[in-house]
Amino acid sequence: AAPAAAAAPAAAAPPAEAAVEVEPGEGEYSLEQLTDKRTWEKLDIKATERETYLPEAVFQQLFDMPKAEFAKLPKWKKDNLKKKHDLF
C-alpha cells in the first residue's frame, strides 16, 4: 500500500520535479534533463552515469537509498533500477 500512496503525489507533480522540489546544484540535473537524450548528450554526460548527476534528495526518492549505498550494489541490480527510471 505504501508504494501506491507514494506514487500518487509523483503523478500529480510536474515530471521535472519528481515530487521532490529540489533545485539542482552545481553539476546536478533534474530527472527530466537526464532522461531526455538530446539534453544529456548536449551536457556531455556519460550515458552510463546519468543517475550520479541527480540531486541527492531526488536520487533517494527514486532509488529508496543514498547514492553511496547504490554504488555498492552489483552492476546488474543497479542496471535494473536505472531501467525503471529511464536512466539506462
Coordinates of all heavy atoms in Angstrom, one line a residue:
A1 N 0.8 -1.2 0.0 CA 0.0 0.0 0.0 C 0.9 1.3 0.0 O 0.5 2.2 -0.6 CB -0.9 0.0 1.2
A2 N 2.0 1.2 0.7 CA 2.9 2.4 0.8 C 3.4 2.9 -0.6 O 3.3 4.0 -0.9 CB 4.0 2.2 1.7
P3 N 3.9 1.9 -1.5 CA 4.4 2.4 -2.8 C 3.3 3.1 -3.6 O 3.6 4.1 -4.2 CB 4.9 1.1 -3.4 CG 5.2 0.2 -2.3 CD 4.2 0.5 -1.3
A4 N 2.1 2.6 -3.5 CA 1.0 3.2 -4.3 C 0.7 4.6 -3.8 O 0.5 5.5 -4.6 CB -0.3 2.4 -4.2
A5 N 0.7 4.8 -2.5 CA 0.5 6.1 -1.9 C 1.6 7.1 -2.3 O 1.4 8.2 -2.5 CB 0.4 6.0 -0.4
A6 N 2.8 6.6 -2.3 CA 4.0 7.4 -2.6 C 3.9 7.8 -4.1 O 4.4 8.8 -4.5 CB 5.3 6.7 -2.3
A7 N 3.4 6.9 -5.0 CA 3.3 7.2 -6.4 C 2.3 8.2 -6.7 O 2.5 9.0 -7.7 CB 3.1 5.9 -7.2
A8 N 1.2 8.4 -6.0 CA 0.2 9.3 -6.3 C 0.7 10.8 -6.3 O 0.4 11.4 -7.3 CB -1.0 9.1 -5.3
P9 N 1.4 11.3 -5.3 CA 1.9 12.6 -5.4 C 2.8 12.9 -6.6 O 2.8 13.9 -7.2 CB 2.6 12.9 -4.1 CG 2.2 11.8 -3.2 CD 1.7 10.7 -4.1
A10 N 3.6 11.9 -7.0 CA 4.5 12.0 -8.1 C 3.8 12.2 -9.4 O 4.2 13.0 -10.2 CB 5.4 10.8 -8.2
A11 N 2.6 11.5 -9.5 CA 1.8 11.7 -10.8 C 1.2 13.1 -10.9 O 1.1 13.6 -11.9 CB 0.7 10.6 -10.8
A12 N 0.9 13.7 -9.7 CA 0.3 15.0 -9.7 C 1.3 16.1 -9.9 O 1.0 17.1 -10.5 CB -0.5 15.2 -8.4
A13 N 2.6 15.9 -9.5 CA 3.6 16.9 -9.6 C 4.2 16.9 -11.0 O 4.1 15.9 -11.8 CB 4.7 16.5 -8.6
P14 N 4.8 18.0 -11.4 CA 5.4 18.1 -12.7 C 6.5 17.1 -12.8 O 7.3 16.9 -11.8 CB 6.0 19.5 -12.8 CG 5.4 20.3 -11.7 CD 4.9 19.3 -10.7
P15 N 6.7 16.4 -13.9 CA 7.7 15.3 -14.0 C 9.1 15.8 -13.8 O 9.9 15.1 -13.2 CB 7.6 14.8 -15.5 CG 6.6 15.7 -16.2 CD 5.9 16.6 -15.2
A16 N 9.4 17.0 -14.1 CA 10.8 17.5 -13.9 C 11.2 17.5 -12.4 O 12.3 17.3 -12.0 CB 10.9 19.0 -14.4
E17 N 10.2 17.7 -11.5 CA 10.5 17.7 -10.1 C 10.4 16.4 -9.4 O 10.9 16.2 -8.3 CB 9.6 18.7 -9.4 CG 9.7 20.2 -9.9 CD 11.1 20.7 -9.8 OE1 11.8 20.4 -8.8 OE2 11.5 21.4 -10.7
A18 N 9.7 15.4 -10.0 CA 9.5 14.1 -9.5 C 9.1 14.1 -8.0 O 9.6 13.4 -7.2 CB 10.8 13.3 -9.6
A19 N 8.2 15.0 -7.7 CA 7.5 15.2 -6.4 C 8.5 15.7 -5.3 O 8.0 16.1 -4.3 CB 6.9 13.9 -5.9
V20 N 9.8 15.8 -5.6 CA 10.7 16.4 -4.6 C 11.1 17.7 -5.3 O 11.7 17.8 -6.4 CB 11.9 15.5 -4.4 CG1 13.0 16.3 -3.6 CG2 11.5 14.3 -3.7
E21 N 10.8 18.8 -4.6 CA 11.2 20.1 -5.2 C 12.6 20.5 -4.8 O 12.8 21.1 -3.7 CB 10.2 21.2 -4.7 CG 8.7 20.8 -5.0 CD 8.0 21.8 -5.8 OE1 8.6 22.9 -6.1 OE2 6.9 21.5 -6.3
V22 N 13.5 20.1 -5.6 CA 14.9 20.4 -5.3 C 15.5 21.1 -6.5 O 15.4 20.6 -7.6 CB 15.7 19.1 -5.0 CG1 17.2 19.4 -4.8 CG2 15.2 18.4 -3.8
E23 N 16.1 22.2 -6.3 CA 16.8 22.9 -7.4 C 18.1 22.2 -7.6 O 18.9 22.2 -6.6 CB 17.0 24.4 -7.0 CG 17.3 25.3 -8.1 CD 16.3 25.4 -9.2 OE1 15.1 25.4 -8.9 OE2 16.6 25.4 -10.4
P24 N 18.4 21.7 -8.7 CA 19.7 21.0 -9.0 C 20.9 22.0 -8.7 O 20.8 23.2 -9.1 CB 19.7 20.6 -10.4 CG 18.2 20.6 -10.8 CD 17.6 21.6 -9.9
G25 N 21.9 21.5 -8.0 CA 23.0 22.4 -7.7 C 24.1 22.3 -8.8 O 23.8 21.7 -9.8
E26 N 25.3 22.7 -8.5 CA 26.4 22.7 -9.4 C 26.7 21.2 -9.8 O 26.8 20.4 -8.9 CB 27.6 23.3 -8.8 CG 28.8 23.4 -9.7 CD 28.8 24.6 -10.6 OE1 28.0 25.6 -10.3 OE2 29.5 24.6 -11.6
G27 N 26.6 20.9 -11.1 CA 26.9 19.6 -11.5 C 25.8 18.6 -11.3 O 25.9 17.4 -11.5
E28 N 24.6 19.1 -11.0 CA 23.4 18.3 -10.9 C 22.3 18.7 -11.9 O 22.3 19.8 -12.3 CB 22.8 18.4 -9.4 CG 23.7 18.0 -8.4 CD 23.1 18.2 -7.0 OE1 22.3 19.1 -6.8 OE2 23.5 17.4 -6.1
Y29 N 21.5 17.7 -12.3 CA 20.5 18.0 -13.2 C 19.2 17.3 -12.8 O 19.2 16.3 -12.0 CB 20.9 17.4 -14.6 CG 22.2 18.1 -15.1 CD1 23.4 17.5 -14.9 CD2 22.2 19.3 -15.7 CE1 24.6 18.1 -15.3 CE2 23.3 20.0 -16.1 CZ 24.5 19.3 -15.9 OH 25.7 19.9 -16.3
S30 N 18.1 17.7 -13.3 CA 16.8 17.2 -13.0 C 16.6 15.8 -13.7 O 17.3 15.5 -14.7 CB 15.6 18.1 -13.4 OG 15.6 18.1 -14.8
L31 N 15.7 15.0 -13.2 CA 15.4 13.7 -13.8 C 14.9 13.9 -15.2 O 15.3 13.2 -16.1 CB 14.3 13.0 -13.0 CG 13.9 11.6 -13.5 CD1 15.1 10.7 -13.5 CD2 12.7 11.0 -12.7
E32 N 14.1 15.0 -15.5 CA 13.7 15.3 -16.9 C 14.9 15.5 -17.8 O 14.9 15.0 -18.9 CB 12.8 16.5 -16.8 CG 12.1 16.8 -18.2 CD 11.2 18.0 -18.2 OE1 11.6 19.0 -17.6 OE2 10.1 17.8 -18.7
Q33 N 15.8 16.3 -17.4 CA 17.0 16.5 -18.2 C 17.8 15.2 -18.4 O 18.3 15.0 -19.5 CB 17.9 17.5 -17.5 CG 17.4 18.9 -17.5 CD 18.3 19.8 -16.6 OE1 18.5 19.6 -15.5 NE2 18.8 20.9 -17.3
L34 N 17.9 14.4 -17.4 CA 18.7 13.2 -17.5 C 18.0 12.0 -18.3 O 18.7 11.1 -18.7 CB 19.1 12.7 -16.1 CG 20.1 13.7 -15.4 CD1 20.3 13.3 -14.0 CD2 21.4 13.8 -16.1
T35 N 16.7 12.2 -18.5 CA 16.0 11.2 -19.3 C 15.7 11.6 -20.7 O 15.2 10.8 -21.5 CB 14.7 10.7 -18.6 OG1 13.9 11.9 -18.4 CG2 14.9 10.0 -17.3
D36 N 16.1 12.9 -21.1 CA 15.9 13.4 -22.4 C 17.3 13.3 -23.1 O 18.2 14.0 -22.8 CB 15.5 14.8 -22.4 CG 15.3 15.4 -23.8 OD1 15.6 14.8 -24.8 OD2 14.8 16.6 -23.8
K37 N 17.4 12.3 -24.0 CA 18.7 12.1 -24.7 C 19.3 13.3 -25.3 O 20.5 13.5 -25.2 CB 18.5 10.9 -25.7 CG 19.8 10.5 -26.3 CD 19.7 9.3 -27.2 CE 21.1 8.9 -27.6 NZ 21.1 7.7 -28.5
R38 N 18.5 14.1 -26.0 CA 19.1 15.3 -26.6 C 19.7 16.2 -25.6 O 20.7 16.8 -25.8 CB 18.0 16.0 -27.4 CG 17.5 15.3 -28.7 CD 16.5 16.1 -29.4 NE 15.4 16.4 -28.4 CZ 14.1 16.1 -28.6 NH1 13.7 15.6 -29.7 NH2 13.2 16.4 -27.7
T39 N 19.0 16.3 -24.4 CA 19.5 17.2 -23.4 C 20.8 16.7 -22.8 O 21.8 17.4 -22.7 CB 18.4 17.4 -22.3 OG1 17.3 17.9 -22.9 CG2 18.9 18.4 -21.2
W40 N 20.8 15.4 -22.3 CA 22.0 15.0 -21.6 C 23.2 14.8 -22.5 O 24.3 14.9 -22.1 CB 21.7 13.7 -20.7 CG 21.2 12.5 -21.4 CD1 20.0 12.0 -21.3 CD2 22.0 11.5 -22.0 NE1 19.9 10.8 -22.0 CE2 21.1 10.4 -22.4 CE3 23.4 11.3 -22.3 CZ2 21.5 9.3 -23.1 CZ3 23.8 10.2 -23.0 CH2 22.9 9.2 -23.4
E41 N 22.9 14.5 -23.8 CA 24.1 14.5 -24.7 C 24.7 15.8 -24.9 O 25.9 15.9 -25.0 CB 23.6 13.9 -26.1 CG 23.5 12.4 -26.1 CD 23.1 11.8 -27.5 OE1 22.5 12.6 -28.3 OE2 23.3 10.6 -27.7
K42 N 23.9 16.9 -25.0 CA 24.4 18.3 -25.1 C 25.2 18.6 -23.9 O 26.2 19.4 -24.0 CB 23.3 19.3 -25.3 CG 22.7 19.3 -26.6 CD 21.6 20.4 -26.7 CE 20.7 20.2 -27.9 NZ 19.5 20.9 -27.8
L43 N 24.9 18.1 -22.7 CA 25.5 18.4 -21.5 C 26.8 17.6 -21.3 O 27.5 17.7 -20.3 CB 24.6 18.2 -20.3 CG 23.4 19.1 -20.2 CD1 22.4 18.5 -19.2 CD2 23.8 20.5 -19.9
D44 N 27.1 16.7 -22.3 CA 28.3 15.9 -22.3 C 28.3 15.0 -21.0 O 29.4 14.8 -20.4 CB 29.6 16.8 -22.3 CG 30.8 16.0 -22.8 OD1 30.6 15.0 -23.6 OD2 31.9 16.3 -22.5
I45 N 27.2 14.4 -20.7 CA 27.0 13.5 -19.6 C 27.2 12.1 -20.1 O 26.6 11.7 -21.1 CB 25.7 13.7 -18.9 CG1 25.6 15.0 -18.2 CG2 25.4 12.5 -18.0 CD1 24.3 15.4 -17.7
K46 N 28.0 11.3 -19.4 CA 28.2 9.9 -19.8 C 26.9 9.1 -19.6 O 26.4 9.1 -18.5 CB 29.3 9.3 -18.9 CG 30.0 8.1 -19.4 CD 31.2 7.7 -18.6 CE 31.8 6.4 -19.1 NZ 33.0 6.0 -18.3
A47 N 26.5 8.4 -20.6 CA 25.2 7.7 -20.6 C 25.0 6.7 -19.4 O 24.0 6.6 -18.8 CB 24.9 7.0 -21.9
T48 N 26.1 6.0 -19.1 CA 26.1 5.0 -18.0 C 26.2 5.6 -16.6 O 26.1 4.8 -15.7 CB 27.2 4.0 -18.2 OG1 28.5 4.7 -18.2 CG2 27.1 3.2 -19.5
E49 N 26.3 6.9 -16.5 CA 26.5 7.5 -15.2 C 25.5 8.6 -14.9 O 25.7 9.4 -14.0 CB 27.9 8.1 -15.0 CG 29.0 7.0 -15.1 CD 30.4 7.6 -15.1 OE1 30.5 8.8 -15.0 OE2 31.3 6.8 -15.2
R50 N 24.4 8.6 -15.7 CA 23.4 9.7 -15.6 C 22.8 9.9 -14.2 O 22.6 11.0 -13.7 CB 22.3 9.6 -16.6 CG 22.8 9.9 -18.0 CD 21.7 9.8 -19.0 NE 21.4 8.4 -19.3 CZ 20.2 8.0 -19.7 NH1 19.2 8.8 -19.9 NH2 20.0 6.7 -19.9
E51 N 22.6 8.7 -13.5 CA 22.0 8.8 -12.2 C 22.8 9.6 -11.1 O 22.3 10.1 -10.2 CB 21.6 7.4 -11.6 CG 22.8 6.6 -11.2 CD 23.7 6.0 -12.3 OE1 23.3 6.1 -13.5 OE2 24.7 5.3 -12.0
T52 N 24.1 9.6 -11.4 CA 25.0 10.3 -10.4 C 24.9 11.8 -10.5 O 25.3 12.5 -9.6 CB 26.5 9.9 -10.7 OG1 26.9 10.4 -12.0 CG2 26.7 8.4 -10.6
Y53 N 24.2 12.3 -11.5 CA 24.0 13.8 -11.7 C 22.7 14.3 -11.0 O 22.4 15.4 -11.0 CB 24.0 14.2 -13.1 CG 25.4 14.0 -13.8 CD1 25.7 12.8 -14.4 CD2 26.3 15.0 -13.7 CE1 27.0 12.6 -15.0 CE2 27.6 14.8 -14.3 CZ 27.9 13.6 -14.9 OH 29.1 13.5 -15.5
L54 N 21.9 13.3 -10.4 CA 20.7 13.7 -9.8 C 21.0 14.4 -8.4 O 22.0 13.9 -7.7 CB 19.8 12.5 -9.5 CG 19.1 11.9 -10.7 CD1 18.5 10.6 -10.3 CD2 18.0 12.8 -11.2
P55 N 20.3 15.3 -8.0 CA 20.4 15.8 -6.6 C 20.2 14.7 -5.6 O 19.3 13.8 -5.9 CB 19.4 16.9 -6.4 CG 19.1 17.3 -7.8 CD 19.3 16.1 -8.7
E56 N 20.9 14.7 -4.5 CA 20.8 13.5 -3.5 C 19.3 13.3 -3.1 O 18.9 12.1 -3.0 CB 21.7 13.8 -2.3 CG 21.7 12.7 -1.3 CD 22.5 11.4 -1.8 OE1 23.5 11.6 -2.4 OE2 22.0 10.3 -1.5
A57 N 18.6 14.3 -2.8 CA 17.2 14.1 -2.4 C 16.3 13.4 -3.4 O 15.5 12.5 -3.1 CB 16.5 15.4 -2.0
V58 N 16.5 13.8 -4.7 CA 15.8 13.2 -5.8 C 16.2 11.8 -6.0 O 15.4 10.9 -6.2 CB 15.9 14.0 -7.1 CG1 15.3 13.3 -8.3 CG2 15.4 15.4 -6.9
F59 N 17.5 11.5 -5.9 CA 18.1 10.2 -6.0 C 17.5 9.3 -5.0 O 17.1 8.2 -5.3 CB 19.6 10.3 -5.9 CG 20.3 8.9 -6.2 CD1 20.8 8.6 -7.4 CD2 20.4 8.0 -5.2 CE1 21.4 7.4 -7.7 CE2 21.0 6.8 -5.4 CZ 21.5 6.5 -6.7
Q60 N 17.5 9.7 -3.7 CA 16.9 8.9 -2.7 C 15.5 8.6 -2.8 O 15.0 7.5 -2.5 CB 17.2 9.6 -1.3 CG 18.6 9.5 -0.9 CD 18.8 9.7 0.6 OE1 18.0 9.4 1.4 NE2 20.0 10.4 0.9
Q61 N 14.7 9.5 -3.4 CA 13.3 9.3 -3.6 C 13.1 8.2 -4.7 O 12.3 7.3 -4.6 CB 12.5 10.5 -3.9 CG 11.0 10.3 -4.1 CD 10.2 11.4 -4.6 OE1 10.8 12.3 -5.2 NE2 9.0 11.4 -4.5
L62 N 13.9 8.3 -5.8 CA 13.7 7.4 -6.9 C 14.2 6.0 -6.5 O 13.5 5.0 -6.8 CB 14.6 7.9 -8.1 CG 14.0 9.0 -8.9 CD1 15.0 9.4 -10.0 CD2 12.7 8.7 -9.5
F63 N 15.4 5.9 -5.9 CA 16.0 4.6 -5.7 C 15.8 4.1 -4.2 O 16.3 3.0 -3.9 CB 17.5 4.7 -6.0 CG 17.7 4.9 -7.5 CD1 18.1 6.2 -7.9 CD2 17.6 3.9 -8.4 CE1 18.3 6.4 -9.3 CE2 17.8 4.1 -9.8 CZ 18.2 5.4 -10.2
D64 N 15.2 4.8 -3.4 CA 15.0 4.5 -2.0 C 16.3 4.1 -1.2 O 16.3 3.2 -0.4 CB 14.0 3.3 -1.9 CG 12.6 3.6 -2.3 OD1 12.2 4.7 -2.0 OD2 12.0 2.8 -2.9
M65 N 17.4 4.8 -1.6 CA 18.7 4.7 -0.9 C 19.6 5.8 -1.3 O 19.4 6.4 -2.3 CB 19.3 3.3 -1.3 CG 19.7 3.2 -2.7 SD 20.3 1.6 -3.2 CE 18.8 0.7 -3.5
P66 N 20.6 6.1 -0.4 CA 21.5 7.1 -0.8 C 22.4 6.7 -1.9 O 22.6 5.5 -2.2 CB 22.3 7.4 0.5 CG 22.0 6.3 1.4 CD 20.8 5.6 0.9
K67 N 23.1 7.6 -2.6 CA 24.0 7.3 -3.7 C 25.1 6.4 -3.3 O 25.5 5.5 -4.0 CB 24.6 8.6 -4.3 CG 23.7 9.5 -5.0 CD 24.3 10.7 -5.6 CE 23.4 11.6 -6.3 NZ 24.0 12.8 -6.8
A68 N 25.6 6.5 -2.1 CA 26.7 5.7 -1.6 C 26.3 4.2 -1.5 O 27.1 3.3 -1.9 CB 27.2 6.2 -0.2
E69 N 25.1 4.0 -1.0 CA 24.6 2.6 -0.9 C 24.3 2.0 -2.3 O 24.6 0.9 -2.6 CB 23.3 2.7 -0.1 CG 22.8 1.3 0.3 CD 21.5 1.4 1.2 OE1 21.5 2.3 2.1 OE2 20.6 0.6 1.0
F70 N 23.8 2.8 -3.2 CA 23.5 2.4 -4.6 C 24.8 2.0 -5.3 O 24.9 1.0 -6.0 CB 22.9 3.6 -5.4 CG 22.5 3.2 -6.8 CD1 21.3 2.6 -7.1 CD2 23.3 3.5 -7.8 CE1 21.0 2.3 -8.4 CE2 23.0 3.2 -9.2 CZ 21.8 2.6 -9.4
A71 N 25.9 2.7 -5.0 CA 27.2 2.4 -5.6 C 27.7 1.1 -5.2 O 28.5 0.5 -6.0 CB 28.2 3.5 -5.3
K72 N 27.3 0.6 -4.1 CA 27.8 -0.7 -3.6 C 27.1 -1.9 -4.2 O 27.5 -3.1 -4.1 CB 27.7 -0.8 -2.1 CG 28.5 0.2 -1.3 CD 28.3 0.1 0.2 CE 29.0 1.2 0.9 NZ 28.6 1.3 2.3
L73 N 25.9 -1.7 -4.8 CA 25.1 -2.7 -5.4 C 25.9 -3.4 -6.6 O 26.6 -2.7 -7.3 CB 23.8 -2.2 -5.9 CG 22.8 -1.7 -4.9 CD1 21.6 -1.0 -5.6 CD2 22.4 -2.7 -3.9
P74 N 25.5 -4.7 -6.9 CA 26.1 -5.3 -8.1 C 25.6 -4.6 -9.3 O 24.5 -4.0 -9.3 CB 25.6 -6.7 -8.1 CG 24.8 -6.9 -6.8 CD 24.7 -5.6 -6.1
K75 N 26.4 -4.6 -10.4 CA 26.0 -3.9 -11.6 C 24.6 -4.3 -12.2 O 23.9 -3.4 -12.5 CB 27.1 -4.2 -12.7 CG 26.8 -3.4 -14.0 CD 27.9 -3.7 -15.1 CE 27.7 -2.9 -16.3 NZ 26.4 -2.7 -16.8
W76 N 24.3 -5.6 -12.2 CA 23.0 -6.0 -12.7 C 21.9 -5.4 -11.9 O 20.8 -5.0 -12.5 CB 22.9 -7.5 -12.7 CG 22.9 -8.2 -11.4 CD1 23.9 -8.6 -10.7 CD2 21.7 -8.4 -10.6 NE1 23.5 -9.1 -9.5 CE2 22.2 -9.0 -9.4 CE3 20.4 -8.1 -10.7 CZ2 21.3 -9.4 -8.3 CZ3 19.5 -8.5 -9.7 CH2 20.0 -9.1 -8.5
K77 N 22.0 -5.2 -10.6 CA 21.0 -4.7 -9.8 C 20.8 -3.2 -10.0 O 19.7 -2.6 -10.1 CB 21.3 -4.9 -8.3 CG 20.1 -4.8 -7.4 CD 20.4 -5.3 -6.0 CE 19.7 -6.6 -5.7 NZ 19.9 -7.0 -4.3
K78 N 22.0 -2.5 -10.2 CA 21.9 -1.0 -10.5 C 21.3 -0.8 -11.9 O 20.5 0.1 -12.0 CB 23.4 -0.4 -10.5 CG 24.0 -0.3 -9.1 CD 25.2 0.5 -9.2 CE 26.4 -0.3 -9.6 NZ 27.7 0.3 -9.3
D79 N 21.7 -1.7 -12.8 CA 21.1 -1.5 -14.2 C 19.6 -1.7 -14.2 O 18.8 -1.0 -14.8 CB 21.7 -2.5 -15.1 CG 23.2 -2.2 -15.5 OD1 23.6 -1.0 -15.1 OD2 23.9 -3.0 -16.1
N80 N 19.1 -2.7 -13.4 CA 17.6 -2.9 -13.3 C 16.9 -1.7 -12.7 O 15.9 -1.3 -13.2 CB 17.3 -4.2 -12.5 CG 17.6 -5.5 -13.3 OD1 17.6 -5.4 -14.5 ND2 17.7 -6.6 -12.6
L81 N 17.5 -1.1 -11.7 CA 16.9 0.0 -11.0 C 16.9 1.2 -12.0 O 16.0 2.0 -12.1 CB 17.6 0.4 -9.7 CG 17.4 -0.6 -8.6 CD1 18.4 -0.3 -7.4 CD2 16.0 -0.5 -8.0
K82 N 18.0 1.4 -12.7 CA 18.1 2.5 -13.6 C 17.1 2.4 -14.8 O 16.5 3.4 -15.2 CB 19.5 2.6 -14.2 CG 20.5 3.1 -13.1 CD 21.9 3.5 -13.7 CE 22.7 2.4 -14.3 NZ 24.0 2.9 -14.7
K83 N 16.9 1.1 -15.2 CA 15.9 0.9 -16.3 C 14.5 1.4 -15.9 O 13.7 1.9 -16.7 CB 15.8 -0.6 -16.7 CG 17.0 -1.0 -17.5 CD 17.0 -2.5 -17.8 CE 18.3 -2.9 -18.5 NZ 18.4 -4.4 -18.6
K84 N 14.1 1.2 -14.6 CA 12.8 1.6 -14.1 C 12.6 3.1 -14.2 O 11.5 3.5 -14.4 CB 12.7 1.2 -12.6 CG 12.4 -0.2 -12.3 CD 12.2 -0.3 -10.8 CE 12.1 -1.7 -10.3 NZ 12.0 -1.9 -8.9
H85 N 13.7 3.8 -14.2 CA 13.5 5.3 -14.2 C 14.1 5.9 -15.5 O 14.4 7.1 -15.6 CB 14.2 5.9 -13.0 CG 13.7 5.4 -11.7 ND1 12.4 5.7 -11.3 CD2 14.2 4.5 -10.8 CE1 12.2 5.0 -10.1 NE2 13.3 4.3 -9.8
D86 N 14.2 5.1 -16.6 CA 14.7 5.6 -17.9 C 16.1 6.2 -17.8 O 16.4 7.1 -18.5 CB 13.7 6.5 -18.5 CG 12.4 5.9 -18.8 OD1 12.4 4.7 -19.2 OD2 11.4 6.6 -18.6
L87 N 16.9 5.6 -16.9 CA 18.3 6.1 -16.8 C 19.3 5.1 -17.3 O 20.5 5.2 -16.9 CB 18.6 6.5 -15.3 CG 17.9 7.8 -14.8 CD1 18.0 7.9 -13.3 CD2 18.4 9.0 -15.5
F88 N 18.9 4.1 -18.1 CA 19.8 3.1 -18.5 C 20.1 3.3 -20.0 O 19.2 3.5 -20.8 CB 19.2 1.7 -18.3 CG 20.1 0.6 -18.6 CD1 21.1 0.2 -17.8 CD2 20.0 -0.1 -19.8 CE1 22.0 -0.8 -18.1 CE2 20.8 -1.1 -20.2 CZ 21.9 -1.5 -19.3

